[in-house]
Every structure is written in structure tokens, then in C-alpha cells.
Amino acid sequence: MFSSISGCEFSDMWAMLLMPLFAAALSAFFLRKSKWGAAVVSVLSATFALVLAMGLLLGESGEASSKSVEIFRLGNFSINFGFLFDEISKNMVFVVCFVGWLIHIFSVGYMDKDDAKGRFFGGLSFFMFSITGIMLADNLFMMFIFWEFVGFSSYMLIAHYADTEYSKMASKKAFIANRVGDFGFLIGIIWCYHVFGTTEFGAIASALKANPSLALTPMALLLICGFLGKSAQFPLQVWLTDAMAGPTPVSALIHAATMVAAGVFMTVRLGVVGLLTPAASAFMVFICSLMAMCAGFWALGQRDIKKTLAYSTLAHLGLMGVAVGLGAYGIAMMHLTMHAFFKAALFLVAGSVIYACHHEQDMFKMGGLAKKMPLTTIAAFLATCSIISVPFFAGYYSKEMILNISLLSLVNEYVNASVSDISGLCRLGASGVFKIATFAFVLIAALLTPLYMARLFFAVFLGKPLSEKASNARENSLFMTLPLVVLGVFSLAGAWGAVLGNLKWLGGKMSALMPSSSQSFMSGSFGWEHFHGMIEGDVLFTWAGTIILVCTVLLILIAYFLYGRGKDKIESDHPIMYHVLEKHGWFDDVYNYYVLKVQQRFAILVNALDLILIQGFAVKGLALISCLFGLVFKSWHVKWVSSYVVWMVLGLLAAFIILAV
């Protein structure tokens, strides 16, 4: 199914994987107190990984390739360590290495005055090692190992400011929530091995091609649990906004561009292999569309600039999940890629303004920064246009296509049910109602994006400075502004190569701003070319796009009316409504009640049973009984020969009676 990776490519992949690990070890053991050493080593490792990645992506071979070695065997069970370098991997390699490299450079400026920068850059390099392992893994067991490394990296980097209680609790929350999802993921992997006798993606794809019935819905749902945890979807979404307690570059790299997107990458991999059944895909569509809508509303209840962007991330991860559930795997990866560009830009913009405003994170204590930070403002404007789907910007193509695919699914349901008018809606049945609901969720999520993003842009960059910190803000160093400019450009033109197709250069190896090989999956049979061909020229989709564009303009105007004067009118005029948005569904309250009132009391009961039954009776009790018997038997040994003779006679008599009977 796959060609073999050449020796040179195999060596490059090993180097790309291990170089960040080497940098992390060097930083952790020798450079923790160094002023610049850890930063230099970490940036150099990221640069080296990007150079190797570009060499692989610009190579001659366009075929999918695979190579693995056995690292563990127990009887018939074995675990292989191998690399799979196909269209999906190539897409992720460029995203992770390129965006990660830019964020490393930004971090040099952002963490300049941090005394623990050595530990930070060590954690950043270890994360790059972990996420590289996920995107190159050729089997589920290997993916799971690096999946857990990524979870540990996230925990470590969120807890960077461990001297604050909030940061400590946020890191624990992220770790525990991900362990819940990962437990289901691990059970699904074991089940998968039981069914197929392997977890290698190529072997599973071949088995399912021969016998599609081997794909089981319960197994697929368990595997999806990993996605629910890592990509923070219902009901495990509670950790992502608290993860903003970590340094802003961490938020940009891990919780916007790469780690949370790893869940989407994993489900795309499962979908292409054939493990996602129709029922499991429908579950993803519902959960993710609901998450996308709810997160859009909750973003309107946040004053913290990073938390607003975190809820935006939840919403767009939901849209990617919808694309996966609808079988548009290439579009899901396309939105993952464009989201990495514009959301990384937005988070780094947030970091830039937070740094300039002396670590103020309340948007409504900023204002007027457009005049003081022009380069940051331009980058923010480009990324905001991209996320709200302004035509010709990168986010427009992928986000609008997800809307179109959702609408197409609903239209096909109408056609299949022979619905010709509104009165025929009753003939749609449960499937039709489900598709109406999910399309409504996706549409509302899309329309909420310009509202909360315009709210953020107006509050931060327009008007007058709303605090002394904002009044004294100024543009940051080139370490922080250059990555913003580059990501701003990619927020504008990142999708042009995949969509337009006629912007090739370097002998066709580059298309617009990205290597052609990294865009082939986004534009191929699962991506833009396929789905755009299905709706091209259709009047319904043309009108739908026009209506959404008009609604976007109107919502921006509404946002200016509500938030354009340096305050939140919803918060001041409708405090109850704002409180509902701010509480984000009371999930934290429900989980806190469960932990304190149910789980903790159950733990106390189990601990009491352990003390009484296990430690008390089974361990100490039996030991005490044995001790008492020992004392009794000891008392019989009185050292008198006559006593021993009596006991011997009694023993012989007892034996005789037993034998006689």
C-alpha cells in the first residue's frame, strides 16, 4: 500500500524527531540558569527541524511512504516504531514545524525577562519532539505514546507560573481532563488490536477494504474519546480556557495551532483508514457542531483577551470536527492549517499587547493600541479578517466550505425524502431533523465569529487608551513583531495554493506560500477540488454565501454599536445575560459539585472500607489472629518430657480414632 521510506529520508525523520528531544535534555540539565543558552538551543533545534521538513516536503517522491522497526515483543504481541509519510503527515509536518519555528522566535522576546526561561524552552522543545512523533506515527500504539508525551508537555508548560495557585490548578485540570479522554482512547486502541491483530494504519486500511464490517461503532467511539480530550470538545472542553494560565506562546503553539489540532489530525487519519462508522461520524457532527455554537456564545462573556481566543479555538475545532464527521477530511485539514496560521497570529498578537501593556489581559482596559502598535494591529487585522471569513482570506475558503458541505448534506436529505415544500418537512424523519439541527448549529457558530472577533478588535485597538498601561504601550522588539507579520501574510494568502492551483513555482514544488506536497490532501479527492466541484455554479450555494457575507457585515456593525466605545454594553445593560455567557454552561460548577459532593465522598467511603476491611481485617486482623495462634502453640511447648509424652499419646489416640471410623 505504501512505498518504503529511503534510508536518507528515514535518517532525516529520526533527526527531525530527536533534535528537539536533545535540545530539551540540554536545556533541562545544563542550561536552566543560562540567560540565553536554552533559548538559542531551542530555536536552533526548531530551525533544524524546519529545514529537514522542507527538504522532505520538497523532495522528488510524491508517494506515501512507510518504514518501521520492531521495538518490543511478548509472544504474538509486538509494538513497532515507524514513520508514515503520506499526504496527511506532510500537511501536519509543515504546519507544526513552520508555525512552531515562528513561535519559538516570538518566545525569545516574550520570555526575555523571565527567570525560568531555561525551563520554558526545555518544555517547548520537548513538546516539539512529542507532536512530531504523533504526526509521523505509523500505528496507534506509537501515536498513543507520543500522545501522552504531548499531554505531559502541556501540563508542564501550563504550570510554568507554578508559584500562582491558578496556574497550578489549571495544569492539573488539563492533565486530568485529558486522562479521561485518553483512557477511552487506549481502550479503543486495545480493541482495535484485538479485532485486526495490528494497529498499523496501512494494515488496518487493507483489512477494512477487504471487509468493511470489521469497523465497529463502539470501537470508533472509544477512539474518538482521544479527540474529545485533546481537542477539548463536549464534555471535556473545560480545561482549554484555564490552560491560558500558561505563557502566551504556549497558548499559541499548543492550545491553538498544534496540540489541540492533533485530535483532528487523529480523527482524519481514522476516517481515511475507514475506522469511523456512519454512527460514530454522526456523533462527531452533533457534538462538534453544538460545541462550535456554544463556544461562540461563551466568547462574548469574556473580558480576558486570551480566554476569548480560547473559546474561539473551541468553536473552530468544532467546525473541523463537523468536517471530519461529514467525510470532508481534506477540508478538515485545510481548516486546521488555516486556523493554525490565523489563530497563532491572534494569540501572538494577544501576547504582544499583553507584554506591551505590562501583562494586562482585560480587553476593556486596553484600547487605542492601533496608533501605538501599528505592525501588531496590521497582523491582528489580517488574522481577524481571515477568521471571520472575509473573501479571499485564508480562513474564508475552508470555513465557508464547511458551511457549504453541511448545507449540502441537508439538501441531499431533502432530495432523498422528496420534500418539495415546507409542509413536507415531516417526511424528513429523525435523520432530517438531525441534519437541520447540526446545520443550524454550524451556521450560528459561523455568524457568531465576526461578533466576538470584532468585539476583541474594537476593544483592543480602536478608541482611546482605557488605562495607564495602555497609554504607555509601544511596539515590541523584532523578535515579537516579525513572526506576527509572517503569520499575518499567511492568514491572508495561506489557502491560495490549495484553492487557485496556478501559483506554482520552484519547478512546481511550491504552490503560493506552501510546499505543493503539503497541500495535496487539502485540495485532492477529500478536499477542495472534490467538494467545490459538487457545488460550483449552484444558485443555492451562491445565494447562501452572499447572505452570510451580508450578515457578517451587519454583525460587525452591531459589534461596533455594542463594544466600539470601550465598554461592553451587554455587561453593563444586561448583566444577567452576560452572567449566563460568562459561566459557559456552568460546567465548572457541575464538575466541582461532582468532585466534592460525589467523588470525594465516595473516595472517603472507599478509604474507610480499605482501612477497616483491607488494612484492618485482611492485613492486620489476619496477622493478629496468626500471632494469637502462635502464642497458643508456643504455650504448649513447656519443655517438660512428660507433657510431650501426653501430647504424643493424645495425638496417636486421635489418629487411631480417625482411622477406625
Side-chain angles (χ1 to χ4, degrees):
M1 184 174 183
F2 303 107
S3 64
S4 179
I5 295 175
S6 68
C8 182
E9 289 176 333
F10 198 56
S11 299
D12 287 348
M13 290 179 191
W14 272 110
M16 188 167 61
L17 176 67
L18 295 179
M19 182 56 70
L21 180 62
F22 173 75
L26 196 62
S27 299
F29 292 120
F30 302 106
L31 302 173
R32 294 187 68 175
K33 302 297 183 182
S34 173
K35 183 177 181 181
W36 290 105
V40 170
V41 168
S42 186
V43 171
L44 284 177
S45 72
T47 305
F48 184 71
L50 178 60
V51 170
L52 288 175
M54 292 301 293
L56 290 168
L57 293 171
L58 298 176
E60 296 297 329
S61 176
E63 297 180 0
S65 51
S66 176
K67 187 172 183 178
S68 64
V69 293
E70 184 177 282
I71 61 170
F72 175 80
R73 174 170 287 278
L74 182 62
N76 293 325
F77 174 74
S78 65
I79 294 179
N80 288 356
F81 193 103
F83 299 133
L84 172 58
F85 201 55
D86 61 353
E87 292 179 330
I88 311 173
S89 299
K90 291 173 183 178
N91 194 167
M92 280 296 288
V93 162
F94 180 78
V95 171
V96 170
C97 292
F98 178 67
V99 176
W101 176 68
L102 290 173
I103 292 173
H104 273 72
I105 294 173
F106 180 90
S107 299
V108 174
Y110 189 86
M111 303 299 292
D112 179 42
K113 298 177 182 178
D114 195 301
D115 295 332
K117 69 174 71 173
R119 173 162 53 87
F120 171 83
F121 279 103
L124 212 59
S125 292
F126 187 78
F127 171 79
M128 290 296 290
F129 157 73
S130 305
I131 194 68
T132 302
I134 288 178
M135 66 191 183
L136 292 177
D138 77 335
N139 65 82
L140 283 167
F141 276 126
M142 178 181 167
M143 179 179 281
F144 184 78
I145 291 169
F146 285 98
W147 196 268
E148 294 306 296
F149 284 161
V150 162
F152 171 73
S153 305
S154 177
Y155 166 78
M156 178 171 56
L157 289 166
I158 294 171
H160 180 75
Y161 303 123
D163 53 337
T164 65
E165 187 65 24
Y166 178 58
S167 183
K168 287 190 291 187
M169 295 304 296
S171 61
K172 292 177 185 177
K173 190 175 185 180
F175 192 79
I176 293 170
N178 274 274
R179 296 295 71 71
V180 173
D182 292 353
F183 177 73
F185 187 29
L186 178 59
I187 299 300
I189 292 173
I190 295 171
W191 193 344
C192 187
Y193 182 83
H194 172 72
V195 172
F196 297 99
T198 181
T199 61
E200 291 187 8
F201 297 119
I204 294 173
S206 298
L208 288 173
K209 187 176 181 180
N211 185 8
S213 63
L214 290 174
L216 306 173
T217 296
M219 180 173 66
L221 292 175
L222 285 169
L223 292 171
I224 287 172
C225 286
F227 160 74
L228 298 181
K230 199 67 74 187
S231 294
Q233 298 296 293
F234 279 131
L236 301 176
Q237 82 284 357
V238 292
W239 68 269
L240 185 60
T241 50
D242 285 341
M244 299 303 109
T248 305
V250 173
S251 304
L253 178 62
I254 296 182
H255 306 124
T258 56
M259 188 194 94
V260 290
V264 177
F265 166 75
M266 183 267 287
T267 56
V268 168
R269 178 73 79 195
L270 297 180
V272 171
V273 165
L275 281 169
L276 294 183
T277 63
S281 297
F283 170 79
M284 278 195 68
V285 171
F286 179 76
I287 287 291
C288 295
S289 61
L290 183 61
M291 182 77 261
M293 180 185 69
C294 291
F297 281 115
W298 296 339
L300 295 171
Q302 309 300 317
R303 295 176 65 95
D304 187 318
I305 184 172
K306 288 173 65 177
K307 285 195 173 184
T308 300
L309 293 175
Y311 279 115
S312 169
T313 300
L314 286 177
H316 284 263
L317 288 168
L319 293 177
M320 296 174 211
V322 169
V324 173
L326 293 173
Y329 306 124
I331 300 300
M333 288 300 297
M334 186 178 182
H335 198 55
L336 181 157
T337 304
M338 301 311 128
H339 180 268
F341 296 149
F342 62 66
K343 188 56 65 66
L346 288 167
F347 264 109
L348 294 188
V349 163
S352 184
V353 299
I354 289 169
Y355 192 87
C357 294
H358 306 284
H359 297 281
E360 176 61 68
Q361 294 187 201
D362 190 334
M363 295 185 295
F364 294 96
K365 291 182 181 179
M366 297 179 182
L369 296 183
K371 295 180 181 179
K372 299 177 178 295
M373 305 177 70
L375 287 177
T376 301
T377 304
I378 292 170
F381 178 77
L382 293 174
T384 301
C385 288
S386 189
I387 193 174
I388 67 176
S389 297
V390 173
F392 308 113
F393 280 76
Y396 166 77
Y397 298 101
S398 55
K399 183 181 168 187
E400 292 303 300
M401 186 54 73
I402 293 173
L403 269 171
N404 287 332
I405 295 168
S406 183
L407 178 59
L408 179 64
S409 176
L410 179 60
V411 169
N412 289 338
E413 189 71 26
Y414 269 67
V415 172
N416 293 335
S418 300
V419 175
S420 58
D421 53 33
I422 299 299
S423 63
L425 285 173
C426 60
R427 293 199 298 272
L428 283 174
S431 176
V433 173
F434 170 81
K435 291 187 176 180
I436 291 173
T438 54
F439 173 71
F441 294 159
V442 171
L443 179 61
I444 293 170
L447 293 177
L448 285 170
T449 306
L451 193 59
Y452 61 71
M453 286 309 305
R455 173 181 183 261
L456 184 152
F457 190 86
F458 293 151
V460 173
F461 295 103
L462 301 187
K464 298 179 180 179
L466 301 174
S467 66
E468 184 179 349
K469 292 179 178 180
S471 299
N472 297 327
R474 59 185 176 84
E475 197 70 84
N476 294 303
S477 67
L478 287 177
F479 280 112
M480 297 174 69
T481 53
L482 283 179
L484 289 179
V485 172
V486 174
L487 287 169
V489 172
F490 273 80
S491 298
L492 168 63
W496 290 359
V499 173
L500 301 180
N502 57 354
L503 300 177
K504 295 184 182 295
W505 52 288
L506 198 64
K509 294 179 180 179
M510 291 290 293
S511 182
L513 300 178
M514 295 172 61
S516 299
S517 61
S518 68
Q519 303 181 69
S520 57
F521 187 74
M522 296 189 296
S523 60
S525 59
F526 289 108
W528 175 265
E529 290 180 5
H530 174 71
F531 289 101
H532 186 255
M534 295 175 67
I535 64 173
E536 188 176 13
D538 194 305
V539 176
L540 173 63
F541 293 95
T542 302
W543 274 103
T546 304
I547 292 170
I548 291 172
L549 181 60
V550 171
C551 290
T552 298
V553 174
L554 291 175
L555 286 165
I556 292 172
L557 295 175
I558 292 171
Y560 184 78
F561 171 75
L562 292 174
Y563 312 110
R565 293 172 177 80
K567 70 174 184 176
D568 189 332
K569 282 195 171 185
I570 301 295
E571 182 180 12
S572 59
D573 298 349
H574 306 281
I576 296 177
M577 181 187 298
Y578 183 83
H579 180 70
V580 171
L581 297 173
E582 184 182 27
K583 294 299 288 184
H584 52 86
W586 286 272
F587 274 88
D588 284 333
D589 300 274
V590 172
Y591 287 160
N592 287 336
Y593 177 86
Y594 166 75
V595 170
L596 294 175
K597 301 298 184 181
V598 179
Q599 181 177 292
Q600 191 66 18
R601 291 179 179 180
F602 180 72
I604 292 171
L605 174 62
V606 171
N607 183 58
L609 293 175
D610 173 63
L611 292 173
I612 295 170
L613 298 178
I614 307 300
Q615 296 186 44
F617 176 74
V619 178
K620 294 179 180 179
L622 292 177
L624 180 61
I625 292 172
S626 300
C627 184
L628 290 174
F629 273 108
L631 291 173
V632 171
F633 292 142
K634 181 181 179 182
S635 67
W636 293 349
H637 296 274
V638 294
K639 300 181 182 179
W640 292 99
V641 175
S642 59
S643 176
Y644 293 151
V645 171
V646 170
W647 282 112
M648 185 180 70
V649 171
L650 291 174
L652 289 172
L653 182 62
F656 177 76
I657 292 171
I658 292 171
L659 291 172
V661 173

